[in-house]
Each structure stands twice: as C-alpha cells, then as structure tokens.
Amino acid sequence: MKNRKIKSIKRSKRYQDRIIITFYDKSVLRLTEDAFLLQPYAINDIIKESDVSLLNKDMRIREARDAAYRLLGYRMRSIYEMKIKLKTKGFSSNEVEIVINKLEGLGYLNDMQFAETLASEKISNKKVGPIFVQSELKKHNIEQAMIDKIIKNAYQENKILELIKFHINKKIKSNSSMLQFAEKKKIDSLLYRKGFHWDDINTAYAELDLI
C-alpha cells in the first residue's frame, strides 16, 4: 500500500482552524486543528494511505457539518431541504446522511418544529389558506399525516373565515352592498391564489352579505 511523505504543513488562510498538509506527490490533506493536535505531524513524516483515507473522510464529515451549521444560522431548515443543500455543495449521500442523523439527534433538525413554524409564519404574515400551506410544506417533503395535523392546529388559532374576510374587506372598493362582477372576480382570484377553498370563500361572502 502506498505511503505519503509530508513536504509542508501550514495553516489555511481562509479557515484559521484548518491545517493544510502537502505531500511530495503534490496531493493535499486537510485537517482540523483539533485533529492535528491529536496527531501532530511534522515535515518528512510518513503517513499510511489508509490513515490518509480515514483523515480525509473525517474532514469531509466535518466540512459537511460546518456547512449545515452555517445554513441553520440563517433560518430553520427541513430535513429534505438540508439534504438538497448539502448535496448541491458536493457532499456525498453517505456524508449527508451522517450529518443529518447527527443534527437530528442534537435537535437542530426537526421536521415537525420546522413545519409548525413555517405554517405559522405564512398564516400570520401572508394570511394564507390551508391549500397554500399544504403546498409549501409538500415542497419540503413533509409527510401528509404531519401536514394534516399542522393545518388542523394552525387554523384553530387562525380562523379561516376571518382570514378570508380580512382579504375581502381590504379589497372592496364599491360602496354597494353587492359586489360588482369584475370586483368579485378579482377578489376570487386573490383568494384562490392565497389558498382558500371555494366553500369557505362563499361562506365568507355570505356572512358579509356580499352575495
């Protein structure tokens, strides 16, 4: 089995906690400072190929984990979204799964918490309906049973008819007790885009005496 001889050792200019080892065959090994302190290599040391492979594997996992932490630093992420993001950054499926499992175990990734937060924010900020919320959650590969539970709970606090009435009252322009056809058509279109069911929309119109 091929061994490698160290030509130079230096600290990374970009990442201060990274050590860069260059071999005489021009290949490069990256280590965290912690890993280097555990095994303080010196110039002209010989490293077995099997050890290089293990160190590379460990470094890749650490880099994937660090990338995940940076992503979580911006906002919460679903498990599906995190997998896609890490794979896009070039990490293998195995590396991604190891990191995902670790983050789940630490509680940093939790699809239920993510989905509840996303649904709450969409309803609170955009006053959207259940169809819209379901569509958004499906983009994150959230299980249907979880989606159904979250939607049921979310609209117990945010009454669907009140949300619909909010949009209707905001868009009404005429003083008439009856909506003009063109005006109602525009409001219908808005409410449809907002993700409300037609039965609920018509009920809201009726309660407002607009139909």
PDB file of all heavy atoms in Angstrom, residues 165-182:
ATOM      1  N   LYS A 165     -62.229  37.038   5.212  1.00  0.00           N
ATOM      2  CA  LYS A 165     -62.908  38.335   5.359  1.00  0.00           C
ATOM      3  C   LYS A 165     -61.899  39.480   5.390  1.00  0.00           C
ATOM      4  O   LYS A 165     -62.169  40.580   4.885  1.00  0.00           O
ATOM      5  CB  LYS A 165     -63.754  38.345   6.630  1.00  0.00           C
ATOM      6  CG  LYS A 165     -64.979  37.445   6.575  1.00  0.00           C
ATOM      7  CD  LYS A 165     -65.694  37.421   7.914  1.00  0.00           C
ATOM      8  CE  LYS A 165     -66.840  36.428   7.919  1.00  0.00           C
ATOM      9  NZ  LYS A 165     -67.506  36.357   9.245  1.00  0.00           N
ATOM     10  N   PHE A 166     -60.747  39.221   5.970  1.00  0.00           N
ATOM     11  CA  PHE A 166     -59.693  40.244   6.008  1.00  0.00           C
ATOM     12  C   PHE A 166     -59.319  40.669   4.587  1.00  0.00           C
ATOM     13  O   PHE A 166     -59.220  41.865   4.282  1.00  0.00           O
ATOM     14  CB  PHE A 166     -58.458  39.692   6.736  1.00  0.00           C
ATOM     15  CG  PHE A 166     -57.228  40.535   6.582  1.00  0.00           C
ATOM     16  CD1 PHE A 166     -57.005  41.618   7.424  1.00  0.00           C
ATOM     17  CD2 PHE A 166     -56.286  40.263   5.587  1.00  0.00           C
ATOM     18  CE1 PHE A 166     -55.865  42.414   7.286  1.00  0.00           C
ATOM     19  CE2 PHE A 166     -55.150  41.046   5.442  1.00  0.00           C
ATOM     20  CZ  PHE A 166     -54.944  42.125   6.284  1.00  0.00           C
ATOM     21  N   HIS A 167     -59.102  39.674   3.714  1.00  0.00           N
ATOM     22  CA  HIS A 167     -58.738  39.980   2.331  1.00  0.00           C
ATOM     23  C   HIS A 167     -59.885  40.658   1.576  1.00  0.00           C
ATOM     24  O   HIS A 167     -59.650  41.601   0.800  1.00  0.00           O
ATOM     25  CB  HIS A 167     -58.316  38.698   1.605  1.00  0.00           C
ATOM     26  CG  HIS A 167     -57.051  38.104   2.108  1.00  0.00           C
ATOM     27  ND1 HIS A 167     -55.839  38.745   2.013  1.00  0.00           N
ATOM     28  CD2 HIS A 167     -56.798  36.907   2.713  1.00  0.00           C
ATOM     29  CE1 HIS A 167     -54.889  37.980   2.536  1.00  0.00           C
ATOM     30  NE2 HIS A 167     -55.448  36.864   2.978  1.00  0.00           N
ATOM     31  N   ILE A 168     -61.099  40.178   1.800  1.00  0.00           N
ATOM     32  CA  ILE A 168     -62.261  40.763   1.103  1.00  0.00           C
ATOM     33  C   ILE A 168     -62.422  42.227   1.491  1.00  0.00           C
ATOM     34  O   ILE A 168     -62.549  43.108   0.629  1.00  0.00           O
ATOM     35  CB  ILE A 168     -63.547  39.975   1.424  1.00  0.00           C
ATOM     36  CG1 ILE A 168     -63.473  38.554   0.844  1.00  0.00           C
ATOM     37  CG2 ILE A 168     -64.764  40.713   0.863  1.00  0.00           C
ATOM     38  CD1 ILE A 168     -64.639  37.668   1.244  1.00  0.00           C
ATOM     39  N   ASN A 169     -62.414  42.501   2.783  1.00  0.00           N
ATOM     40  CA  ASN A 169     -62.597  43.873   3.257  1.00  0.00           C
ATOM     41  C   ASN A 169     -61.472  44.797   2.788  1.00  0.00           C
ATOM     42  O   ASN A 169     -61.687  45.990   2.544  1.00  0.00           O
ATOM     43  CB  ASN A 169     -62.685  43.900   4.782  1.00  0.00           C
ATOM     44  CG  ASN A 169     -63.982  43.327   5.306  1.00  0.00           C
ATOM     45  OD1 ASN A 169     -65.036  43.495   4.683  1.00  0.00           O
ATOM     46  ND2 ASN A 169     -63.932  42.640   6.441  1.00  0.00           N
ATOM     47  N   LYS A 170     -60.287  44.231   2.655  1.00  0.00           N
ATOM     48  CA  LYS A 170     -59.146  45.026   2.209  1.00  0.00           C
ATOM     49  C   LYS A 170     -59.272  45.410   0.736  1.00  0.00           C
ATOM     50  O   LYS A 170     -58.791  46.468   0.306  1.00  0.00           O
ATOM     51  CB  LYS A 170     -57.853  44.239   2.438  1.00  0.00           C
ATOM     52  CG  LYS A 170     -56.579  45.031   2.188  1.00  0.00           C
ATOM     53  CD  LYS A 170     -55.357  44.195   2.538  1.00  0.00           C
ATOM     54  CE  LYS A 170     -54.073  44.968   2.292  1.00  0.00           C
ATOM     55  NZ  LYS A 170     -52.857  44.151   2.595  1.00  0.00           N
ATOM     56  N   LYS A 171     -59.947  44.560  -0.044  1.00  0.00           N
ATOM     57  CA  LYS A 171     -60.018  44.764  -1.493  1.00  0.00           C
ATOM     58  C   LYS A 171     -61.314  45.419  -1.971  1.00  0.00           C
ATOM     59  O   LYS A 171     -61.379  45.879  -3.112  1.00  0.00           O
ATOM     60  CB  LYS A 171     -59.848  43.414  -2.207  1.00  0.00           C
ATOM     61  CG  LYS A 171     -58.441  42.827  -2.103  1.00  0.00           C
ATOM     62  CD  LYS A 171     -57.425  43.715  -2.789  1.00  0.00           C
ATOM     63  CE  LYS A 171     -56.018  43.137  -2.700  1.00  0.00           C
ATOM     64  NZ  LYS A 171     -55.027  44.017  -3.379  1.00  0.00           N
ATOM     65  N   ILE A 172     -62.334  45.457  -1.136  1.00  0.00           N
ATOM     66  CA  ILE A 172     -63.610  46.041  -1.560  1.00  0.00           C
ATOM     67  C   ILE A 172     -63.427  47.531  -1.871  1.00  0.00           C
ATOM     68  O   ILE A 172     -62.868  48.284  -1.075  1.00  0.00           O
ATOM     69  CB  ILE A 172     -64.686  45.869  -0.470  1.00  0.00           C
ATOM     70  CG1 ILE A 172     -65.129  44.412  -0.395  1.00  0.00           C
ATOM     71  CG2 ILE A 172     -65.884  46.768  -0.762  1.00  0.00           C
ATOM     72  CD1 ILE A 172     -66.144  44.133   0.686  1.00  0.00           C
ATOM     73  N   LYS A 173     -63.902  47.941  -3.033  1.00  0.00           N
ATOM     74  CA  LYS A 173     -63.798  49.342  -3.441  1.00  0.00           C
ATOM     75  C   LYS A 173     -65.159  50.027  -3.539  1.00  0.00           C
ATOM     76  O   LYS A 173     -65.293  51.214  -3.304  1.00  0.00           O
ATOM     77  CB  LYS A 173     -63.078  49.443  -4.790  1.00  0.00           C
ATOM     78  CG  LYS A 173     -61.631  48.979  -4.755  1.00  0.00           C
ATOM     79  CD  LYS A 173     -60.977  49.112  -6.117  1.00  0.00           C
ATOM     80  CE  LYS A 173     -59.532  48.645  -6.075  1.00  0.00           C
ATOM     81  NZ  LYS A 173     -58.890  48.743  -7.416  1.00  0.00           N
ATOM     82  N   SER A 174     -66.180  49.277  -3.919  1.00  0.00           N
ATOM     83  CA  SER A 174     -67.506  49.874  -4.111  1.00  0.00           C
ATOM     84  C   SER A 174     -68.226  50.044  -2.773  1.00  0.00           C
ATOM     85  O   SER A 174     -67.925  49.373  -1.795  1.00  0.00           O
ATOM     86  CB  SER A 174     -68.354  49.002  -5.038  1.00  0.00           C
ATOM     87  OG  SER A 174     -68.596  47.736  -4.423  1.00  0.00           O
ATOM     88  N   ASN A 175     -69.154  50.978  -2.755  1.00  0.00           N
ATOM     89  CA  ASN A 175     -69.946  51.222  -1.547  1.00  0.00           C
ATOM     90  C   ASN A 175     -71.220  50.390  -1.516  1.00  0.00           C
ATOM     91  O   ASN A 175     -71.948  50.386  -0.537  1.00  0.00           O
ATOM     92  CB  ASN A 175     -70.312  52.712  -1.455  1.00  0.00           C
ATOM     93  CG  ASN A 175     -69.073  53.583  -1.262  1.00  0.00           C
ATOM     94  OD1 ASN A 175     -68.176  53.194  -0.528  1.00  0.00           O
ATOM     95  ND2 ASN A 175     -69.056  54.742  -1.907  1.00  0.00           N
ATOM     96  N   SER A 176     -71.478  49.702  -2.615  1.00  0.00           N
ATOM     97  CA  SER A 176     -72.696  48.904  -2.725  1.00  0.00           C
ATOM     98  C   SER A 176     -72.620  47.689  -1.812  1.00  0.00           C
ATOM     99  O   SER A 176     -71.547  47.177  -1.501  1.00  0.00           O
ATOM    100  CB  SER A 176     -72.881  48.444  -4.178  1.00  0.00           C
ATOM    101  OG  SER A 176     -73.926  47.503  -4.270  1.00  0.00           O
ATOM    102  N   SER A 177     -73.796  47.252  -1.345  1.00  0.00           N
ATOM    103  CA  SER A 177     -73.847  46.057  -0.509  1.00  0.00           C
ATOM    104  C   SER A 177     -73.594  44.801  -1.320  1.00  0.00           C
ATOM    105  O   SER A 177     -73.348  43.733  -0.764  1.00  0.00           O
ATOM    106  CB  SER A 177     -75.200  45.952   0.192  1.00  0.00           C
ATOM    107  OG  SER A 177     -76.236  45.856  -0.772  1.00  0.00           O
ATOM    108  N   MET A 178     -73.660  44.919  -2.644  1.00  0.00           N
ATOM    109  CA  MET A 178     -73.402  43.789  -3.539  1.00  0.00           C
ATOM    110  C   MET A 178     -72.143  44.067  -4.351  1.00  0.00           C
ATOM    111  O   MET A 178     -71.942  45.191  -4.835  1.00  0.00           O
ATOM    112  CB  MET A 178     -74.592  43.576  -4.489  1.00  0.00           C
ATOM    113  CG  MET A 178     -75.885  43.219  -3.770  1.00  0.00           C
ATOM    114  SD  MET A 178     -75.802  41.647  -2.886  1.00  0.00           S
ATOM    115  CE  MET A 178     -75.759  40.517  -4.272  1.00  0.00           C
ATOM    116  N   LEU A 179     -71.297  43.077  -4.454  1.00  0.00           N
ATOM    117  CA  LEU A 179     -70.070  43.238  -5.231  1.00  0.00           C
ATOM    118  C   LEU A 179     -70.371  43.287  -6.721  1.00  0.00           C
ATOM    119  O   LEU A 179     -71.216  42.547  -7.221  1.00  0.00           O
ATOM    120  CB  LEU A 179     -69.117  42.072  -4.953  1.00  0.00           C
ATOM    121  CG  LEU A 179     -68.352  42.077  -3.629  1.00  0.00           C
ATOM    122  CD1 LEU A 179     -67.570  40.771  -3.496  1.00  0.00           C
ATOM    123  CD2 LEU A 179     -67.404  43.258  -3.529  1.00  0.00           C
ATOM    124  N   GLN A 180     -69.655  44.164  -7.418  1.00  0.00           N
ATOM    125  CA  GLN A 180     -69.726  44.175  -8.863  1.00  0.00           C
ATOM    126  C   GLN A 180     -69.020  42.920  -9.387  1.00  0.00           C
ATOM    127  O   GLN A 180     -68.091  42.402  -8.766  1.00  0.00           O
ATOM    128  CB  GLN A 180     -69.066  45.433  -9.423  1.00  0.00           C
ATOM    129  CG  GLN A 180     -69.723  46.731  -8.967  1.00  0.00           C
ATOM    130  CD  GLN A 180     -71.174  46.818  -9.421  1.00  0.00           C
ATOM    131  OE1 GLN A 180     -71.495  46.526 -10.582  1.00  0.00           O
ATOM    132  NE2 GLN A 180     -72.051  47.208  -8.506  1.00  0.00           N
ATOM    133  N   PHE A 181     -69.440  42.445 -10.559  1.00  0.00           N
ATOM    134  CA  PHE A 181     -68.892  41.205 -11.110  1.00  0.00           C
ATOM    135  C   PHE A 181     -67.374  41.264 -11.253  1.00  0.00           C
ATOM    136  O   PHE A 181     -66.666  40.355 -10.817  1.00  0.00           O
ATOM    137  CB  PHE A 181     -69.534  40.917 -12.480  1.00  0.00           C
ATOM    138  CG  PHE A 181     -68.946  39.709 -13.161  1.00  0.00           C
ATOM    139  CD1 PHE A 181     -69.326  38.429 -12.791  1.00  0.00           C
ATOM    140  CD2 PHE A 181     -67.989  39.848 -14.157  1.00  0.00           C
ATOM    141  CE1 PHE A 181     -68.775  37.310 -13.403  1.00  0.00           C
ATOM    142  CE2 PHE A 181     -67.426  38.742 -14.775  1.00  0.00           C
ATOM    143  CZ  PHE A 181     -67.829  37.473 -14.398  1.00  0.00           C
ATOM    144  N   ALA A 182     -66.871  42.343 -11.863  1.00  0.00           N
ATOM    145  CA  ALA A 182     -65.424  42.467 -12.094  1.00  0.00           C
ATOM    146  C   ALA A 182     -64.660  42.529 -10.780  1.00  0.00           C
ATOM    147  O   ALA A 182     -63.578  41.949 -10.636  1.00  0.00           O
ATOM    148  CB  ALA A 182     -65.129  43.705 -12.931  1.00  0.00           C
TER     149      ALA A 182
END
